[in-house]
Amino acid sequence: GQSLEQPSEVTAVEGAIVQINCTYQTSGFYGLSWYQQHDGGAPTFLSYNALDGLEETGRFSSFLSRSDSYGYLLLQELQMKDSASYFCAVKTSGTYKYIFGTGTRLKVLA
Amino acid sequence: GAGVSQSPSNKVTEKGKDVELRCDPISGHTALYWYRQSLGQGLEFLIYFQGNSAPDKSGLPSDRFSAERTGGSVSTLTIQRTQQEDSAVYLCASSLDGGSREQYFGPGTRLTVT
């Protein structure tokens, strides 16, 4: 089957750095995406990795290792507004469909 | 429009009734996706459209679920003979094409089957 695993919950304090891991097992792979979703809101795109390595976008960075079927999202200088759920998603080859993980709920404490 | 829109925002229906959910993607976006999200859960892929055709319908849970897209734009997801387990938020997303990095999500339709 196809699956993505993420921690269910992570807690950190304002100003800290947090890493959310994602391991995947899918048939076919184009890339790994990360989405943020606040309670009651729609998911919003954060980053996409198609190749191994680190992609940096402001306070957020995302890493991919295709050989390990592993990626992570790194959030720096945490702010209260970063409290949300974070989903990794694999874009599968063949039909371009996405398989989403179950999400990691991030709580940022003052 | 400026973003993906969905209607209705909320729908309460009785078990056994049919419902239609609508998605208006961003103008010019050829790829359109439907997902289902149960409370506190991840997004479950339902169907992907490229233009008017659906290369991947593998996520539709049963033959009670169907979707169509006309004119390469608006899409309708239809659920026949609704069941209580169909209660969820149904999300639509679009992207410029299937190879795009980013999906843009609509606000979703919250479906409650009583």
Side-chain angles (χ1 to χ4, degrees):
Chain A
Q2 305 195 87
S3 65
L4 283 79
E5 289 193 12
Q6 309 176 230
S8 58
E9 192 170 294
V10 173
T11 302
V13 297
E14 258 188 314
I17 298 172
V18 72
Q19 179 173 313
I20 300 174
N21 298 320
C22 174
T23 57
Y24 59 88
Q25 183 176 9
T26 59
S27 54
F29 179 89
Y30 266 135
L32 182 70
S33 301
W34 289 92
Y35 284 81
Q36 178 192 61
Q37 185 179 34
H38 286 98
D39 285 347
T44 56
F45 173 81
L46 293 177
S47 69
Y48 179 83
N49 294 67
L51 302 175
D52 290 353
L54 192 68
E55 292 262 351
E56 298 180 77
T57 309
R59 293 187 297 115
F60 295 167
S61 301
S62 58
F63 172 83
L64 173 66
S65 169
R66 288 173 297 170
S67 60
D68 295 321
S69 299
Y70 164 77
Y72 66 72
L73 179 69
L74 192 73
L75 296 86
Q76 302 182 72
E77 301 172 16
L78 281 175
Q79 302 175 10
M80 297 296 289
K81 67 178 181 180
D82 297 329
S83 292
S85 291
Y86 293 83
F87 294 91
C88 59
V90 165
K91 187 172 189 176
T92 60
S93 56
T95 62
Y96 291 137
K97 86 178 189 186
Y98 287 83
I99 306 296
F100 277 75
T102 52
T104 298
R105 190 169 186 87
L106 171 64
K107 294 182 182 177
V108 180
L109 306 177
Chain B
V4 178
S5 61
Q6 294 186 244
S7 60
S9 55
N10 279 284
K11 177 72 177 178
V12 180
T13 190
E14 292 181 353
K15 178 182 172 181
K17 302 281 190 182
D18 297 352
V19 294
E20 281 190 357
L21 312 180
R22 176 186 168 108
C23 172
D24 278 277
I26 292 171
S27 178
H29 280 196
T30 63
L32 186 147
Y33 302 79
W34 282 100
Y35 297 92
R36 178 168 73 174
Q37 186 174 32
S38 300
L39 189 64
Q41 301 299 309
L43 282 71
E44 176 188 3
F45 168 82
L46 297 179
I47 188 168
Y48 156 61
F49 286 94
Q50 179 58 48
N52 289 339
S53 63
D56 197 324
K57 306 179 184 179
S58 61
L60 294 177
S62 73
D63 59 8
R64 296 187 296 106
F65 288 72
S66 63
E68 64 175 14
R69 189 179 186 196
T70 56
S73 182
V74 171
S75 177
T76 303
L77 177 68
T78 301
I79 309 173
Q80 297 179 307
R81 306 181 302 282
T82 51
Q83 304 294 313
Q84 288 187 328
E85 60 263 29
D86 299 335
S87 296
V89 175
Y90 289 81
L91 290 159
C92 173
S94 71
S95 60
L96 195 58
D97 57 49
S100 298
R101 296 160 52 101
E102 181 174 355
Q103 295 179 86
Y104 297 82
F105 281 84
T109 293
R110 181 174 298 277
L111 175 67
T112 304
V113 182
T114 61

Tab-separated table of all heavy atoms in Angstrom, chain A residues 30-75:
chain	number	residue	atom	x	y	z
A	30	TYR	N	7.218	11.707	-7.644
A	30	TYR	CA	7.638	12.902	-8.381
A	30	TYR	C	8.236	13.928	-7.435
A	30	TYR	O	9.193	14.603	-7.762
A	30	TYR	CB	6.447	13.551	-9.097
A	30	TYR	CG	6.246	13.123	-10.520
A	30	TYR	CD1	4.982	12.805	-10.990
A	30	TYR	CD2	7.308	13.055	-11.404
A	30	TYR	CE1	4.780	12.417	-12.292
A	30	TYR	CE2	7.123	12.661	-12.715
A	30	TYR	CZ	5.854	12.345	-13.157
A	30	TYR	OH	5.657	11.952	-14.440
A	31	GLY	N	7.626	14.080	-6.270
A	31	GLY	CA	8.102	15.093	-5.349
A	31	GLY	C	7.363	15.045	-4.034
A	31	GLY	O	6.344	14.370	-3.886
A	32	LEU	N	7.919	15.760	-3.052
A	32	LEU	CA	7.347	15.830	-1.710
A	32	LEU	C	6.948	17.269	-1.415
A	32	LEU	O	7.768	18.178	-1.553
A	32	LEU	CB	8.365	15.344	-0.673
A	32	LEU	CG	7.887	15.323	0.775
A	32	LEU	CD1	6.852	14.223	0.985
A	32	LEU	CD2	9.076	15.121	1.718
A	33	SER	N	5.692	17.458	-1.047
A	33	SER	CA	5.173	18.786	-0.730
A	33	SER	C	4.881	18.897	0.750
A	33	SER	O	4.679	17.892	1.434
A	33	SER	CB	3.863	19.042	-1.483
A	33	SER	OG	4.015	18.949	-2.868
A	34	TRP	N	4.827	20.138	1.213
A	34	TRP	CA	4.379	20.428	2.575
A	34	TRP	C	3.284	21.487	2.520
A	34	TRP	O	3.395	22.471	1.769
A	34	TRP	CB	5.541	20.938	3.429
A	34	TRP	CG	6.533	19.881	3.748
A	34	TRP	CD1	7.663	19.547	3.046
A	34	TRP	CD2	6.500	18.983	4.873
A	34	TRP	NE1	8.313	18.507	3.657
A	34	TRP	CE2	7.627	18.139	4.779
A	34	TRP	CE3	5.617	18.818	5.946
A	34	TRP	CZ2	7.903	17.152	5.723
A	34	TRP	CZ3	5.893	17.832	6.884
A	34	TRP	CH2	7.028	17.015	6.762
A	35	TYR	N	2.243	21.256	3.335
A	35	TYR	CA	1.123	22.173	3.416
A	35	TYR	C	0.849	22.495	4.881
A	35	TYR	O	1.033	21.654	5.765
A	35	TYR	CB	-0.136	21.569	2.786
A	35	TYR	CG	-0.099	21.576	1.278
A	35	TYR	CD1	0.592	20.590	0.579
A	35	TYR	CD2	-0.725	22.580	0.555
A	35	TYR	CE1	0.650	20.610	-0.810
A	35	TYR	CE2	-0.681	22.610	-0.832
A	35	TYR	CZ	0.011	21.631	-1.495
A	35	TYR	OH	0.067	21.664	-2.873
A	36	GLN	N	0.400	23.727	5.109
A	36	GLN	CA	0.002	24.179	6.435
A	36	GLN	C	-1.516	24.344	6.449
A	36	GLN	O	-2.094	24.842	5.482
A	36	GLN	CB	0.660	25.532	6.734
A	36	GLN	CG	0.296	26.137	8.078
A	36	GLN	CD	0.753	27.596	8.178
A	36	GLN	OE1	0.340	28.454	7.406
A	36	GLN	NE2	1.640	27.864	9.131
A	37	GLN	N	-2.136	23.924	7.545
A	37	GLN	CA	-3.580	24.098	7.668
A	37	GLN	C	-3.927	24.564	9.075
A	37	GLN	O	-3.710	23.831	10.042
A	37	GLN	CB	-4.323	22.800	7.339
A	37	GLN	CG	-5.843	22.949	7.322
A	37	GLN	CD	-6.559	21.659	6.963
A	37	GLN	OE1	-6.103	20.575	7.307
A	37	GLN	NE2	-7.705	21.773	6.276
A	38	HIS	N	-4.471	25.772	9.179
A	38	HIS	CA	-4.984	26.246	10.452
A	38	HIS	C	-6.370	25.665	10.669
A	38	HIS	O	-7.079	25.329	9.715
A	38	HIS	CB	-5.042	27.775	10.475
A	38	HIS	CG	-3.700	28.419	10.607
A	38	HIS	ND1	-2.989	28.909	9.529
A	38	HIS	CD2	-2.924	28.636	11.700
A	38	HIS	CE1	-1.840	29.408	9.943
A	38	HIS	NE2	-1.773	29.250	11.260
A	39	ASP	N	-6.765	25.553	11.945
A	39	ASP	CA	-8.072	24.989	12.281
A	39	ASP	C	-9.173	25.716	11.527
A	39	ASP	O	-9.275	26.943	11.569
A	39	ASP	CB	-8.331	25.099	13.789
A	39	ASP	CG	-7.526	24.092	14.582
A	39	ASP	OD1	-6.968	23.167	13.965
A	39	ASP	OD2	-7.452	24.236	15.810
A	40	GLY	N	-9.987	24.936	10.825
A	40	GLY	CA	-11.115	25.515	10.100
A	40	GLY	C	-10.736	26.134	8.768
A	40	GLY	O	-11.609	26.648	8.058
A	41	GLY	N	-9.456	26.086	8.429
A	41	GLY	CA	-9.010	26.713	7.188
A	41	GLY	C	-8.644	25.702	6.124
A	41	GLY	O	-8.662	24.491	6.365
A	42	ALA	N	-8.310	26.194	4.968
A	42	ALA	CA	-7.886	25.336	3.867
A	42	ALA	C	-6.370	25.154	3.917
A	42	ALA	O	-5.649	26.023	4.411
A	42	ALA	CB	-8.284	25.966	2.537
A	43	PRO	N	-5.865	24.048	3.429
A	43	PRO	CA	-4.408	23.865	3.359
A	43	PRO	C	-3.786	24.914	2.442
A	43	PRO	O	-4.352	25.264	1.407
A	43	PRO	CB	-4.254	22.465	2.764
A	43	PRO	CG	-5.556	21.782	3.024
A	43	PRO	CD	-6.589	22.862	2.949
A	44	THR	N	-2.603	25.401	2.835
A	44	THR	CA	-1.853	26.323	1.986
A	44	THR	C	-0.458	25.755	1.747
A	44	THR	O	0.151	25.165	2.646
A	44	THR	CB	-1.741	27.724	2.602
A	44	THR	OG1	-1.154	27.619	3.891
A	44	THR	CG2	-3.096	28.377	2.728
A	45	PHE	N	0.014	25.955	0.550
A	45	PHE	CA	1.295	25.399	0.111
A	45	PHE	C	2.461	26.070	0.825
A	45	PHE	O	2.493	27.293	0.989
A	45	PHE	CB	1.415	25.607	-1.398
A	45	PHE	CG	2.751	25.237	-1.986
A	45	PHE	CD1	3.043	23.913	-2.266
A	45	PHE	CD2	3.697	26.204	-2.249
A	45	PHE	CE1	4.267	23.567	-2.818
A	45	PHE	CE2	4.921	25.866	-2.803
A	45	PHE	CZ	5.211	24.547	-3.095
A	46	LEU	N	3.432	25.246	1.256
A	46	LEU	CA	4.643	25.769	1.875
A	46	LEU	C	5.873	25.526	1.012
A	46	LEU	O	6.677	26.436	0.796
A	46	LEU	CB	4.863	25.131	3.250
A	46	LEU	CG	3.860	25.458	4.346
A	46	LEU	CD1	4.194	24.670	5.611
A	46	LEU	CD2	3.834	26.954	4.632
A	47	SER	N	6.055	24.274	0.549
A	47	SER	CA	7.273	23.963	-0.183
A	47	SER	C	7.113	22.677	-0.962
A	47	SER	O	6.185	21.895	-0.725
A	47	SER	CB	8.461	23.839	0.770
A	47	SER	OG	8.314	22.689	1.561
A	48	TYR	N	8.057	22.460	-1.888
A	48	TYR	CA	8.050	21.258	-2.734
A	48	TYR	C	9.487	20.876	-3.040
A	48	TYR	O	10.283	21.731	-3.441
A	48	TYR	CB	7.293	21.548	-4.022
A	48	TYR	CG	7.226	20.414	-5.015
A	48	TYR	CD1	6.265	19.424	-4.882
A	48	TYR	CD2	8.116	20.342	-6.089
A	48	TYR	CE1	6.181	18.383	-5.798
A	48	TYR	CE2	8.030	19.303	-7.008
A	48	TYR	CZ	7.069	18.333	-6.860
A	48	TYR	OH	6.987	17.297	-7.762
A	49	ASN	N	9.811	19.607	-2.843
A	49	ASN	CA	11.136	19.091	-3.183
A	49	ASN	C	10.993	17.968	-4.198
A	49	ASN	O	10.300	16.986	-3.919
A	49	ASN	CB	11.842	18.521	-1.949
A	49	ASN	CG	12.169	19.565	-0.912
A	49	ASN	OD1	11.274	20.141	-0.293
A	49	ASN	ND2	13.446	19.794	-0.689
A	50	ALA	N	11.632	18.131	-5.339
A	50	ALA	CA	11.671	17.048	-6.327
A	50	ALA	C	13.025	16.352	-6.308
A	50	ALA	O	13.123	15.176	-6.655
A	50	ALA	CB	11.383	17.591	-7.722
A	51	LEU	N	14.057	17.089	-5.914
A	51	LEU	CA	15.417	16.562	-5.879
A	51	LEU	C	15.928	16.531	-4.447
A	51	LEU	O	15.438	17.262	-3.583
A	51	LEU	CB	16.333	17.429	-6.740
A	51	LEU	CG	15.940	17.566	-8.211
A	51	LEU	CD1	16.856	18.542	-8.918
A	51	LEU	CD2	15.940	16.214	-8.906
A	52	ASP	N	16.928	15.710	-4.212
A	52	ASP	CA	17.533	15.622	-2.876
A	52	ASP	C	18.118	16.966	-2.471
A	52	ASP	O	18.655	17.703	-3.302
A	52	ASP	CB	18.639	14.572	-2.877
A	52	ASP	CG	18.122	13.163	-3.008
A	52	ASP	OD1	16.885	12.980	-2.963
A	52	ASP	OD2	18.943	12.241	-3.151
A	53	GLY	N	18.026	17.248	-1.200
A	53	GLY	CA	18.650	18.455	-0.687
A	53	GLY	C	17.676	19.340	0.033
A	53	GLY	O	16.540	18.964	0.320
A	54	LEU	N	18.158	20.532	0.325
A	54	LEU	CA	17.424	21.490	1.141
A	54	LEU	C	16.884	22.624	0.292
A	54	LEU	O	17.602	23.170	-0.540
A	54	LEU	CB	18.378	22.045	2.210
A	54	LEU	CG	17.774	22.843	3.357
A	54	LEU	CD1	16.945	21.931	4.249
A	54	LEU	CD2	18.893	23.496	4.175
A	55	GLU	N	15.603	22.963	0.512
A	55	GLU	CA	14.991	24.125	-0.134
A	55	GLU	C	14.617	25.108	0.968
A	55	GLU	O	14.002	24.712	1.953
A	55	GLU	CB	13.716	23.727	-0.877
A	55	GLU	CG	13.922	22.856	-2.091
A	55	GLU	CD	13.928	23.651	-3.378
A	55	GLU	OE1	13.608	24.854	-3.334
A	55	GLU	OE2	14.271	23.064	-4.414
A	56	GLU	N	15.009	26.354	0.813
A	56	GLU	CA	14.745	27.347	1.855
A	56	GLU	C	13.808	28.423	1.335
A	56	GLU	O	14.022	28.976	0.253
A	56	GLU	CB	16.055	27.974	2.330
A	56	GLU	CG	17.004	26.966	2.967
A	56	GLU	CD	18.305	27.578	3.438
A	56	GLU	OE1	18.292	28.221	4.495
A	56	GLU	OE2	19.308	27.421	2.742
A	57	THR	N	12.771	28.709	2.152
A	57	THR	CA	11.832	29.780	1.823
A	57	THR	C	11.548	30.550	3.091
A	57	THR	O	10.691	30.167	3.887
A	57	THR	CB	10.515	29.224	1.249
A	57	THR	OG1	10.789	28.311	0.192
A	57	THR	CG2	9.640	30.353	0.738
A	58	GLY	N	12.290	31.613	3.311
A	58	GLY	CA	12.089	32.418	4.505
A	58	GLY	C	12.410	31.628	5.758
A	58	GLY	O	13.457	31.000	5.874
A	59	ARG	N	11.451	31.569	6.691
A	59	ARG	CA	11.690	30.862	7.943
A	59	ARG	C	11.506	29.348	7.786
A	59	ARG	O	11.836	28.584	8.688
A	59	ARG	CB	10.712	31.359	9.023
A	59	ARG	CG	10.918	32.789	9.458
A	59	ARG	CD	10.024	33.136	10.651
A	59	ARG	NE	8.602	33.044	10.359
A	59	ARG	CZ	7.788	32.173	10.934
A	59	ARG	NH1	8.246	31.284	11.812
A	59	ARG	NH2	6.493	32.183	10.628
A	60	PHE	N	10.964	28.928	6.637
A	60	PHE	CA	10.703	27.500	6.429
A	60	PHE	C	11.733	26.905	5.475
A	60	PHE	O	12.084	27.521	4.469
A	60	PHE	CB	9.302	27.303	5.837
A	60	PHE	CG	8.149	27.711	6.721
A	60	PHE	CD1	6.875	27.830	6.212
A	60	PHE	CD2	8.342	27.977	8.072
A	60	PHE	CE1	5.814	28.206	7.017
A	60	PHE	CE2	7.288	28.356	8.884
A	60	PHE	CZ	6.010	28.471	8.356
A	61	SER	N	12.183	25.699	5.799
A	61	SER	CA	13.070	24.950	4.911
A	61	SER	C	12.523	23.540	4.806
A	61	SER	O	11.918	23.024	5.752
A	61	SER	CB	14.493	24.886	5.470
A	61	SER	OG	15.025	26.171	5.657
A	62	SER	N	12.758	22.897	3.677
A	62	SER	CA	12.320	21.513	3.518
A	62	SER	C	13.452	20.711	2.908
A	62	SER	O	14.199	21.199	2.056
A	62	SER	CB	11.061	21.428	2.655
A	62	SER	OG	11.285	22.008	1.390
A	63	PHE	N	13.555	19.478	3.364
A	63	PHE	CA	14.650	18.598	2.955
A	63	PHE	C	14.082	17.314	2.402
A	63	PHE	O	13.045	16.823	2.855
A	63	PHE	CB	15.547	18.292	4.162
A	63	PHE	CG	16.593	17.239	3.893
A	63	PHE	CD1	17.790	17.577	3.284
A	63	PHE	CD2	16.372	15.917	4.245
A	63	PHE	CE1	18.753	16.618	3.029
A	63	PHE	CE2	17.321	14.946	3.996
A	63	PHE	CZ	18.513	15.292	3.385
A	64	LEU	N	14.788	16.742	1.425
A	64	LEU	CA	14.373	15.470	0.847
A	64	LEU	C	15.580	14.562	0.640
A	64	LEU	O	16.634	15.015	0.150
A	64	LEU	CB	13.685	15.697	-0.498
A	64	LEU	CG	13.331	14.443	-1.308
A	64	LEU	CD1	12.263	13.613	-0.577
A	64	LEU	CD2	12.849	14.812	-2.708
A	65	SER	N	15.408	13.283	0.976
A	65	SER	CA	16.353	12.235	0.625
A	65	SER	C	15.553	11.134	-0.044
A	65	SER	O	14.837	10.378	0.635
A	65	SER	CB	17.070	11.700	1.863
A	65	SER	OG	17.797	10.517	1.531
A	66	ARG	N	15.653	11.045	-1.347
A	66	ARG	CA	14.868	10.052	-2.080
A	66	ARG	C	15.345	8.637	-1.792
A	66	ARG	O	14.546	7.701	-1.735
A	66	ARG	CB	14.912	10.346	-3.577
A	66	ARG	CG	14.089	11.571	-3.977
A	66	ARG	CD	14.300	11.907	-5.438
A	66	ARG	NE	15.679	12.270	-5.714
A	66	ARG	CZ	16.184	12.427	-6.923
A	66	ARG	NH1	15.414	12.256	-7.986
A	66	ARG	NH2	17.440	12.761	-7.095
A	67	SER	N	16.644	8.473	-1.559
A	67	SER	CA	17.162	7.131	-1.297
A	67	SER	C	16.643	6.594	0.030
A	67	SER	O	16.487	5.388	0.197
A	67	SER	CB	18.688	7.127	-1.312
A	67	SER	OG	19.195	8.003	-0.311
A	68	ASP	N	16.350	7.491	0.972
A	68	ASP	CA	15.829	7.094	2.285
A	68	ASP	C	14.316	7.206	2.371
A	68	ASP	O	13.733	6.914	3.413
A	68	ASP	CB	16.453	7.941	3.390
A	68	ASP	CG	17.942	7.725	3.528
A	68	ASP	OD1	18.378	6.574	3.390
A	68	ASP	OD2	18.669	8.714	3.757
A	69	SER	N	13.669	7.676	1.296
A	69	SER	CA	12.218	7.916	1.312
A	69	SER	C	11.827	8.753	2.525
A	69	SER	O	10.912	8.420	3.284
A	69	SER	CB	11.447	6.589	1.314
A	69	SER	OG	11.731	5.846	0.154
A	70	TYR	N	12.513	9.861	2.675
A	70	TYR	CA	12.422	10.662	3.903
A	70	TYR	C	12.542	12.139	3.579
A	70	TYR	O	13.320	12.545	2.694
A	70	TYR	CB	13.544	10.230	4.845
A	70	TYR	CG	13.843	11.171	5.981
A	70	TYR	CD1	13.011	11.220	7.101
A	70	TYR	CD2	14.964	12.002	5.938
A	70	TYR	CE1	13.296	12.078	8.146
A	70	TYR	CE2	15.250	12.862	6.991
A	70	TYR	CZ	14.417	12.895	8.084
A	70	TYR	OH	14.682	13.737	9.125
A	71	GLY	N	11.788	12.916	4.297
A	71	GLY	CA	11.905	14.359	4.182
A	71	GLY	C	11.561	15.010	5.490
A	71	GLY	O	11.039	14.359	6.422
A	72	TYR	N	11.864	16.275	5.623
A	72	TYR	CA	11.442	17.017	6.808
A	72	TYR	C	11.186	18.471	6.470
A	72	TYR	O	11.672	19.005	5.482
A	72	TYR	CB	12.445	16.886	7.960
A	72	TYR	CG	13.816	17.508	7.753
A	72	TYR	CD1	14.000	18.894	7.762
A	72	TYR	CD2	14.942	16.700	7.580
A	72	TYR	CE1	15.246	19.458	7.588
A	72	TYR	CE2	16.199	17.249	7.409
A	72	TYR	CZ	16.356	18.631	7.415
A	72	TYR	OH	17.591	19.179	7.237
A	73	LEU	N	10.374	19.065	7.338
A	73	LEU	CA	10.091	20.498	7.279
A	73	LEU	C	10.719	21.122	8.506
A	73	LEU	O	10.522	20.640	9.623
A	73	LEU	CB	8.590	20.743	7.274
A	73	LEU	CG	8.130	22.197	7.232
A	73	LEU	CD1	8.449	22.819	5.880
A	73	LEU	CD2	6.631	22.301	7.517
A	74	LEU	N	11.485	22.169	8.297
A	74	LEU	CA	12.156	22.856	9.392
A	74	LEU	C	11.561	24.250	9.522
A	74	LEU	O	11.527	25.008	8.553
A	74	LEU	CB	13.659	22.951	9.112
A	74	LEU	CG	14.548	23.387	10.260
A	74	LEU	CD1	14.671	22.246	11.272
A	74	LEU	CD2	15.937	23.780	9.748
A	75	LEU	N	11.074	24.558	10.709
A	75	LEU	CA	10.507	25.879	10.962
A	75	LEU	C	11.404	26.593	11.961
A	75	LEU	O	11.632	26.104	13.070
A	75	LEU	CB	9.085	25.776	11.521
A	75	LEU	CG	8.011	25.162	10.629
A	75	LEU	CD1	7.991	23.642	10.751
A	75	LEU	CD2	6.648	25.722	10.977
